[in-house]
């Protein structure tokens, strides 16, 4: 991916998602971190990314959050 790309990452507060966010930021991308409402943000602390809360099964939340993004990386998963 080229620098200055705006990338939407689902599951950004999880282990995989937060590491993807860190790598994208290191590579010069702009990141929109999509978190479930009420998710912990500790893994994203100090990272220069836009955080948007919403639900993956809510079309309105997704449309609002993904606006202006060039790529989507889907890292969200139900692990329980």
């Amino acid at each position: 991916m080229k620098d200055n790309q705006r990338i939407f990452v689902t599951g950004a507060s999880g282990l995989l998602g937060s590491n993807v966010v860190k790598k994208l930021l290191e590579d010069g991308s702009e990141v929109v971190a999509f978190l479930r409402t009420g998710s912990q943000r500790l893994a994203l602390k100090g990272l220069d990314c836009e955080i948007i809360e919403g639900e993956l099964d809510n079309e309105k939340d997704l449309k609002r959050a993904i606006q202006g993004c060039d790529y989507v990386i889907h890292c969200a998963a139900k692990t329980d």
Side-chain angles (χ1 to χ4, degrees), residues 8-75:
F8 179 78
V9 180
T10 67
S13 63
L15 178 63
L16 175 61
S18 63
N19 281 292
V20 168
V21 169
K22 289 173 190 171
K23 179 62 176 156
L24 290 169
L25 291 171
E26 286 172 7
D27 290 347
S29 296
E30 182 181 341
V31 177
V32 176
F34 191 66
L35 311 178
R36 274 192 350 242
T37 303
S39 289
Q40 293 221 8
R41 299 176 181 202
L42 187 58
L44 300 174
K45 187 174 183 174
L47 299 181
D48 186 20
C49 62
E50 180 180 355
I51 296 175
I52 298 178
E53 289 188 344
E55 302 299 325
L56 285 173
D57 60 354
N58 184 315
E59 185 178 346
K60 193 175 189 176
D61 286 351
L62 285 173
K63 282 183 177 181
R64 172 183 49 88
I66 204 169
Q67 214 167 28
C69 292
D70 301 298
Y71 297 98
V72 173
I73 299 178
H74 180 54
C75 297

